[in-house]
Amino acid sequence: MRKIIITVAPVCHVGKVIPEGCKNPLTPEEIAEDTINCYKAGACEVHLHTRDLKGEQTFELDVFSDTIRRIREHSDMIIQGSTGGLSTLTLAERCVCLNVPEVEVASLNMGSVNFGETVYVNTLPDIRYWAKRMEETGVVPEMELFDLSMVETCTKLADEGVLKRPLHYNFCVGPGNSSNLAATGRNLAFLTQLCEPGTSWGITHDAMKDFSMLACAIGMGANAVRIGFEDSFYYAPGKLARSNAELVERLVGLIRAMGCEPATPAEAREMQGIPQLKA
């Protein structure tokens, strides 16, 4: 059976409305417990920002490192750090997660995009800087793409030697009116048609109201899907998940109904060219 990587992004961004009955994890204990429950449900990778106890992005590593230590005590999940997020952090501060040895993968935003009423800035020199830091720390980049032109940016940087092939894309689709491409099968088809041969790709659907785009992506050949409170609390129209683990459980059911299986951490490492954990 085809294996699908399930990544969970468990912490909702500051400022988003948290529906009644949903618990947004913030402390290392809460995030780790939630993540372990997701692991037991079928997730193999966790996406984390460097945040403080209030959920604000920071360059301080105390909460981040403590959270990872707790996750590692009970699982072999892949740890993905974030170099993104709208903030006032410097280039070095945005990629401070790379200083934590347990981080194996990191998000690498492939260009600037409108973000609500402001601009989420990721210039080419910025991208080259973060990519170099990832190479120096042995971290595999997961390229985050918000628009069609960013596929060509990936190719350009790979031709320069800044990025190593095979490339690993993550298509970030969403409402469309405020930032990234709208979540439609048509847009996803355009993106996949531009992919280089031999690459792998996944999807993040921001503000999703159901799993329809995730199902569409899996049907089109995606090998990774992301869910979690950072992106959405919903799994079906009007249906809220009370925990990140519930989102994972329902996604696993969808994956199996489509004739696939959730990847284990070891399988996901092999798929993404990540060294296996030492025994």
Side-chain angles (χ1 to χ4, degrees), residues 80-99:
Q80 181 187 118
S82 174
T83 65
L86 196 64
S87 72
T88 58
L89 299 178
T90 66
L91 293 185
E93 290 170 346
R94 276 182 59 175
C95 69
V96 70
C97 69
L98 303 177
N99 297 330

Side-chain angles (χ1 to χ4, degrees), residues 252-267:
V252 167
L254 170 66
I255 288 171
R256 287 179 171 151
M258 296 183 70
C260 303
E261 276 291 317
T264 66
E267 290 167 338

Side-chain angles (χ1 to χ4, degrees), residues 49-68:
H49 292 255
T50 51
R51 303 181 190 273
D52 59 23
L53 291 175
K54 295 180 180 179
E56 299 278 3
Q57 287 193 223
T58 178
F59 59 87
E60 299 289 349
L61 287 169
D62 296 356
V63 173
F64 185 80
S65 297
D66 190 15
T67 301
I68 291 176

Side-chain angles (χ1 to χ4, degrees), residues 159-182:
D159 288 344
E160 289 180 9
V162 174
L163 297 173
K164 293 182 179 179
R165 292 181 168 96
L167 304 174
H168 304 282
Y169 306 102
N170 185 50
F171 298 134
C172 304
V173 296
N177 60 349
S178 62
S179 55
N180 37 345
L181 280 172

Side-chain angles (χ1 to χ4, degrees), residues 7-9 45-49 64 68 72 77-83 97 102-108 139-142 144 170 204 226 272:
T7 299
V8 61
E45 185 167 333
V46 60
H47 171 87
L48 295 170
H49 292 255
F64 185 80
I68 291 176
R72 268 285 175 265
M77 290 183 81
I78 297 170
I79 306 296
Q80 181 187 118
S82 174
T83 65
C97 69
E102 291 85 357
V103 172
E104 303 167 82
V105 181
S107 59
L108 180 61
V139 172
V140 175
E142 176 190 273
E144 314 299 329
N170 185 50
T204 295
R226 190 178 105 173
Q272 298 179 90

Side-chain angles (χ1 to χ4, degrees), residues 24-273:
N24 184 44
L26 289 177
T27 68
E29 295 87 351
E30 291 170 343
I31 299 171
E33 180 181 6
D34 208 358
T35 300
I36 295 304
N37 288 337
C38 291
Y39 169 72
K40 292 176 180 177
C44 63
E45 185 167 333
V46 60
H47 171 87
L48 295 170
H49 292 255
T50 51
R51 303 181 190 273
D52 59 23
L53 291 175
K54 295 180 180 179
E56 299 278 3
Q57 287 193 223
T58 178
F59 59 87
E60 299 289 349
L61 287 169
D62 296 356
V63 173
F64 185 80
S65 297
D66 190 15
T67 301
I68 291 176
R69 178 184 62 79
R70 293 171 184 273
I71 292 171
R72 268 285 175 265
E73 285 178 351
H74 301 284
S75 82
D76 60 343
M77 290 183 81
I78 297 170
I79 306 296
Q80 181 187 118
S82 174
T83 65
L86 196 64
S87 72
T88 58
L89 299 178
T90 66
L91 293 185
E93 290 170 346
R94 276 182 59 175
C95 69
V96 70
C97 69
L98 303 177
N99 297 330
V100 178
E102 291 85 357
V103 172
E104 303 167 82
V105 181
S107 59
L108 180 61
N109 297 288
M110 299 309 297
S112 302
V113 65
N114 288 337
F115 195 92
E117 299 299 310
T118 186
V119 178
Y120 182 30
V121 178
N122 300 283
T123 67
L124 277 172
D126 296 347
I127 299 168
R128 292 187 184 100
Y129 173 84
W130 293 317
K132 182 179 179 181
R133 288 289 296 121
M134 290 180 196
E135 183 177 14
E136 290 171 348
T137 54
V139 172
V140 175
E142 176 190 273
M143 300 174 299
E144 314 299 329
L145 289 81
F146 303 94
D147 206 343
L148 291 171
S149 63
M150 294 184 189
V151 180
E152 296 185 15
T153 300
C154 295
T155 299
K156 170 183 172 62
L157 293 178
D159 288 344
E160 289 180 9
V162 174
L163 297 173
K164 293 182 179 179
R165 292 181 168 96
L167 304 174
H168 304 282
Y169 306 102
N170 185 50
F171 298 134
C172 304
V173 296
N177 60 349
S178 62
S179 55
N180 37 345
L181 280 172
T184 67
R186 182 169 178 263
N187 283 340
L188 197 56
F190 287 146
L191 286 163
T192 56
Q193 287 168 14
L194 291 172
C195 289
E196 292 186 9
T199 57
S200 61
W201 64 277
I203 185 173
T204 295
H205 182 185
D206 184 47
M208 70 178 181
K209 299 301 181 184
D210 57 44
F211 283 173
S212 58
M213 277 305 299
L214 305 186
C216 178
I218 293 169
M220 291 175 66
N223 75 335
V225 288
R226 190 178 105 173
I227 55 171
F229 286 175
E230 180 175 327
D231 306 322
S232 176
F233 296 89
Y234 292 89
Y235 61 87
K239 301 292 186 181
L240 284 167
R242 301 302 176 183
S243 68
N244 285 289
E246 183 180 351
L247 286 173
V248 175
E249 289 168 0
R250 293 184 181 277
L251 179 57
V252 167
L254 170 66
I255 288 171
R256 287 179 171 151
M258 296 183 70
C260 303
E261 276 291 317
T264 66
E267 290 167 338
R269 285 186 176 90
E270 184 175 357
M271 292 163 69
Q272 298 179 90

